[in-house]
Amino acid sequence: MSQTVTPELRAWIVAQATAGFAPDAVLRAMVEAGWTEAVALDALEHTLSEHLAQRAPAQPVSQPPRRRASAPADGAASFAPALPQPDLRGAPRLLDAGDREVAVLASLRRPQLVVFGNLLAPEECEALVAAARPRMSRSLTVETQTGGEALNADRTSQGMFFRRGETELIARIEARIARLLHWPVSHGEGLQVLQYRPGAEYKPHYDYFDPREPGTAKITQRGGQRVATLVIYLNEPVRGGGTTFPDVGLEVAPQRGNAVFFAYDRPHPATQTLHGGAPVLEGEKWVATKWLREREFT
């Protein structure tokens, strides 16, 4: 049964925030009262954001729960988000990524998702594929039971990782991503390149590490949780191969040089970041994936 956010509920949320209750405590109270966590979190974000816009700057009120970054990206002093994200204030059509202007093609509030155009030039896509091709092997997934890596029947691609800053091309792309998303290069994993041949896919999954699994503590020692994902399309399969988001009924078609970005403020399905790589039906698909962490990734 669907739940409706009523004016009475919004008034109650504002009253709790004004009284000094932390957003996490308000969220917990709503869940205990029977609200689903996704609805409760969305109500908190929208209500407090609207309320803040109506208040004078000298009248603070508790913000919705967000992670805090350990440091902002270089050059991001005027816009230091709690999660990696582009600056979409003012509804820009183009964003400054340092050495390149990147187009904003589409965006969602929940999940926090943006489709970018022109993130990579065609020759950069070709160079990444050429550099990665000799090093490809069957893709592994992080194994949260043990903290290691393992083959996964849900993932049938070939892949490899570049070390952070391994080549001039990799360093240039990483600096561009850091400026675009306002997140330090040091807080990113190495760029992974994946190849999907006909029939290959990656079934829907989450990119964060499940905190309930025994191996997660070991995995997060190297930089904390993952908090965002950027998937860059390096070519265009003839048919299939889109990036799907089942919770919101969205599929992003692969277009060379474009990318889809999504962030998740905590490791929970309420972020609605369930996603997958649809099967390639004809041709092949090449993508580069960048995962961003809470802290410096070592």
Side-chain angles (χ1 to χ4, degrees):
M1 184 175 66
S2 62
Q3 295 179 316
T4 302
V5 177
T6 63
E8 290 77 14
L9 177 63
R10 293 181 181 277
W12 178 83
I13 290 173
V14 170
Q16 304 312 300
T18 304
F21 288 100
D24 285 337
V26 179
L27 178 64
R28 187 165 54 251
M30 293 177 67
V31 171
E32 290 173 353
W35 292 89
T36 62
E37 189 161 8
V39 172
L41 185 59
D42 195 56
L44 268 176
E45 290 181 339
H46 282 79
T47 301
L48 294 183
S49 295
E50 291 173 1
H51 184 61
L52 280 169
Q54 298 171 2
R55 296 175 64 92
Q59 297 177 292
V61 66
S62 298
Q63 291 277 2
R66 293 289 187 196
R67 293 188 188 276
R68 285 294 162 192
S70 56
D74 292 343
S78 61
F79 181 70
L83 285 174
Q85 60 179 293
D87 186 358
L88 299 183
R89 294 175 298 177
R93 188 178 65 83
L94 297 173
L95 295 172
D96 177 15
D99 62 345
R100 191 174 189 81
E101 284 194 323
V102 175
V104 178
L105 302 182
S107 65
L108 291 176
R109 290 189 61 179
R110 178 158 300 276
Q112 184 180 333
L113 181 152
V114 183
V115 180
F116 295 117
N118 195 42
L119 178 59
L120 265 59
E123 56 270 23
E124 291 175 321
C125 295
E126 293 169 3
L128 272 181
V129 171
R133 192 183 291 275
R135 296 162 59 177
M136 304 299 283
S137 61
R138 173 68 187 273
S139 298
L140 303 177
T141 58
V142 174
E143 178 54 68
T144 52
Q145 286 288 325
T146 64
E149 293 182 317
L151 289 173
N152 186 331
D154 289 344
R155 189 181 202 185
T156 53
S157 60
Q158 302 285 312
M160 57 78 65
F161 275 95
F162 288 104
R163 296 187 308 277
R164 201 167 57 214
E166 179 175 333
T167 67
E168 185 277 332
L169 173 63
I170 297 298
R172 182 170 76 244
I173 293 172
E174 289 173 334
R176 188 181 303 161
I177 292 170
R179 184 176 180 116
L180 179 68
L181 301 179
H182 300 271
W183 210 249
V185 171
S186 61
H187 289 37
E189 299 180 25
L191 195 67
Q192 184 186 41
V193 174
L194 296 169
Q195 177 192 23
Y196 292 83
R197 296 190 175 101
E201 65 178 321
Y202 195 178
K203 293 181 180 178
H205 59 283
Y206 298 99
D207 281 352
Y208 56 73
F209 308 117
D210 190 338
R212 299 169 298 180
E213 297 291 348
T216 293
K218 177 181 177 181
I219 297 167
T220 55
Q221 286 177 355
R222 298 186 63 192
Q225 268 286 359
R226 285 177 176 167
V227 291
T229 301
L230 180 71
V231 179
I232 309 169
Y233 304 107
L234 304 180
N235 81 324
E236 298 159 16
V238 178
R239 292 191 299 124
T243 304
T244 63
F245 294 84
D247 287 347
V248 291
L250 174 68
E251 181 168 341
V252 180
Q255 179 76 33
R256 185 172 67 169
N258 289 4
V260 59
F261 163 80
F262 51 99
Y264 25 99
D265 60 356
R266 55 204 170 119
H268 194 280
T271 58
Q272 296 185 293
T273 53
L274 183 70
H275 66 286
V280 173
L281 302 178
E282 185 178 354
E284 64 177 12
K285 179 178 75 170
W286 287 81
V287 299
T289 302
K290 186 73 170 179
W291 287 292
L292 303 179
R293 296 287 192 105
E294 291 178 296
R295 304 188 298 275
E296 181 178 358
F297 180 74
T298 58

